[in-house]
């Protein structure tokens, strides 16, 4: 049995985006990214959550972003052979999108945005492909923050699953009366529904998409 030391954190998850090599784990010291932001806005001290990347099969553990007060890390994604990280520096009012370079054990900046580009960090999350930063506030709207800026209305039961070029794949659930899920394919430009079909799409570790229905 191999022992993997990630400082007592046991919530290891596969990085989203189609990889069987990278897992991630964090301590959620202040909850999720939005909850940490709320504490900061209320003038409470915010300590950085600690995030670790675990490489399979060698079991190597990396801490790609050193902890710093007033900083908090969101969920990573896997894009074109690299793990991409989301870091918000509340004290400096910045959002950083970073590419992890394991061979050098450091990160490389992909993009930097002012924190003022978003109303808040509620459901602020990275998606692929191409790499995109999105936000889905709980008000019936969807926002693409970067690299384009787009917003349109969606159903409150929808959530973005993934992006494929100029198409956005949303999952939506129903209880009528039994629980079921559909996939809605929307146009990036204005959210027009281009297609809909029963089931949910999962991106497998090799990047293949499986329709689960």
């Amino acid at each position: 049995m191999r022992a993997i030391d990630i400082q007592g954190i046991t919530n290891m998850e596969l990085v989203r985006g189609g990889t069987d090599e990278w897992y991630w784990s964090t301590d959620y010291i202040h909850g999720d990214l939005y909850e940490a932001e709320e504490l900061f806005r209320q003038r409470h001290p915010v300590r950085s959550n600690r995030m670790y990347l675990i490489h399979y099969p060698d079991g190597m553990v990396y801490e790609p972003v050193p902890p710093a007060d007033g900083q908090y890390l969101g969920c990573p994604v896997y894009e074109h052979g690299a793990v991409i990280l989301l870091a918000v520096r509340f004290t400096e009012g910045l959002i950083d999108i970073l590419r992890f370079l394991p061979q050098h054990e450091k990160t490389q900046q992909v993009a930097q945005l002012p924190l003022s580009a978003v109303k808040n960090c509620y459901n602020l999350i990275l998606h692929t492909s191409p790499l995109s930063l999105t936000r889905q506030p709980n008000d019936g709207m969807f926002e693409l923050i970067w690299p384009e800026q787009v917003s349109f209305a969606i159903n409150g039961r929808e959530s973005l699953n993934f992006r494929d070029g100029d198409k956005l794949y949303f999952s939506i659930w129903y209880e009528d009366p039994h629980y079921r899920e559909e996939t809605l394919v929307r146009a990036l430009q204005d959210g027009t529904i281009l297609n809909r079909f029963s089931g949910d799409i999962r991106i497998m570790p090799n990047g293949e998409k499986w329709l689960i229905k």
Side-chain angles (χ1 to χ4, degrees):
M1 181 182 298
R2 177 177 297 177
I4 307 297
D5 184 5
I6 47 177
Q7 307 300 312
I9 303 170
T10 57
N11 59 349
M12 192 174 80
E13 301 177 43
L14 190 65
V15 174
R16 292 182 300 109
T19 178
D20 58 0
E21 289 186 55
W22 289 101
Y23 291 77
W24 69 286
S25 186
T26 185
D27 57 9
Y28 293 110
I29 187 172
H30 296 303
D32 63 18
L33 181 57
Y34 174 69
E35 291 167 327
E37 180 189 33
E38 286 287 283
L39 285 175
F40 182 80
R41 290 178 184 271
Q42 295 164 11
R43 300 184 182 278
H44 294 288
V46 172
R47 294 169 53 199
S48 179
N49 57 331
R50 304 199 70 149
M51 178 181 292
Y52 298 96
L53 296 177
I54 304 94
H55 187 254
Y56 176 81
D58 53 57
M60 289 291 295
V61 177
Y62 303 89
E63 188 173 18
V65 182
D69 290 345
Q71 165 189 280
Y72 216 73
L73 306 174
C75 302
V77 294
Y78 186 78
E79 168 80 348
H80 293 158
V83 177
I84 310 296
L85 305 153
L86 175 63
V88 178
R89 291 185 276 160
F90 300 124
T91 52
E92 299 171 60
L94 293 171
I95 300 171
D96 289 320
I97 301 173
L98 307 166
R99 177 183 290 106
F100 178 56
L101 306 173
Q103 64 274 29
H104 303 296
E105 296 193 32
K106 67 178 185 179
T107 59
Q108 177 186 70
Q109 191 169 87
V110 176
Q112 186 176 84
L113 308 171
L115 186 54
S116 59
V118 297
K119 181 178 180 181
N120 56 51
C121 294
Y122 188 85
N123 279 339
L124 186 67
I125 190 169
L126 294 169
H127 280 279
T128 60
S129 171
L131 181 65
S132 306
L133 181 64
T134 71
R135 178 175 173 269
Q136 192 170 323
N138 194 20
D139 61 0
M141 295 296 294
F142 169 80
E143 299 175 9
L144 176 60
I145 309 299
W146 176 89
E148 302 95 336
Q149 292 184 328
V150 176
S151 66
F152 51 79
I154 60 172
N155 190 293
R157 298 189 308 276
E158 285 183 64
S159 59
L160 180 63
N161 190 350
F162 63 93
R163 176 179 175 176
D164 186 5
D166 290 336
K167 295 179 181 179
L168 300 173
Y169 286 71
F170 289 80
S171 60
I172 182 171
W173 59 271
Y174 301 91
E175 287 183 344
D176 51 6
H178 301 295
Y179 181 86
R180 63 184 178 89
E181 293 187 27
E182 278 187 346
T183 292
L184 303 182
V185 185
R186 290 184 177 271
L188 172 69
Q189 293 79 8
D190 57 8
T192 299
I193 296 176
L194 305 174
N195 196 5
R196 65 192 308 157
F197 44 85
S198 177
D200 186 34
I201 297 176
R202 301 290 178 88
I203 301 178
M204 306 310 291
N206 64 356
E208 188 177 22
K209 296 179 178 68
W210 286 12
L211 176 62
I212 311 300
K213 59 182 182 177

